[in-house]
Amino acid sequence: MLVLTNRARRHHDVHALKLNLRLSRSSRHHSVRMARRHRLFHTSNMDRVLRHWHVRTWGENVGETPTTLRALQRAFMRSPLHRSNLLNRRFRHVGIGVVRAGGKLWVTLDFYG
């Protein structure tokens, strides 16, 4: 997912995001929660999740797909809100959580800058 996100950013002349492994653990836990509940929802406590880093701005994309991460990336790019997060120049870092459950991929991307 990081490769697909940074490829889209590069294609739009936006700097690459750096993967935050600690935040990715939180993002993965969120993807697990969504898979267990069989529905998409946003992280409710992002202020607490991001308290370890100096954060000026943040955003979150969540999604699920029965096919591939590439298909989900295309869907994100067709959605104005998801696309604006993916291409936001103020974001410098991302946490990514991907979980396969119930025949689907559940994905959380947590951006910050």
Side-chain angles (χ1 to χ4, degrees):
M1 199 71 215
L2 180 64
V3 169
L4 294 170
T5 298
N6 280 334
R7 185 178 298 150
R9 290 173 69 87
R10 189 172 44 253
H11 182 74
H12 289 87
D13 295 322
V14 181
H15 59 273
L17 295 170
K18 295 177 186 169
L19 184 65
N20 180 320
L21 293 176
R22 187 171 172 189
L23 180 57
S24 291
R25 283 192 295 275
S26 175
S27 303
R28 186 178 186 287
H29 288 302
H30 185 73
S31 293
V32 167
R33 286 190 299 273
M34 291 190 301
R36 285 182 179 154
R37 294 180 191 176
H38 304 286
R39 66 180 182 91
L40 296 174
F41 55 93
H42 287 281
T43 303
S44 62
N45 59 345
M46 283 305 291
D47 292 339
R48 195 181 88 206
V49 170
L50 295 172
R51 72 184 180 277
H52 302 289
W53 304 281
H54 180 67
V55 175
R56 293 187 179 133
T57 186
W58 64 270
E60 182 176 66
N61 284 1
V62 296
E64 56 87 9
T65 179
T67 58
T68 65
L69 292 177
R70 192 175 310 260
L72 182 60
Q73 176 73 4
R74 281 193 302 270
F76 281 161
M77 290 300 287
R78 286 191 301 266
S79 161
L81 293 174
H82 292 96
R83 180 185 175 99
S84 69
N85 279 339
L86 287 169
L87 301 180
N88 189 322
R89 293 180 183 276
R90 296 184 305 168
F91 296 152
R92 298 287 177 178
H93 303 272
V94 65
I96 300 174
V98 178
V99 174
R100 182 180 299 279
K104 295 181 180 180
L105 293 168
W106 297 85
V107 178
T108 304
L109 291 97
D110 292 313
F111 308 94
Y112 70 95

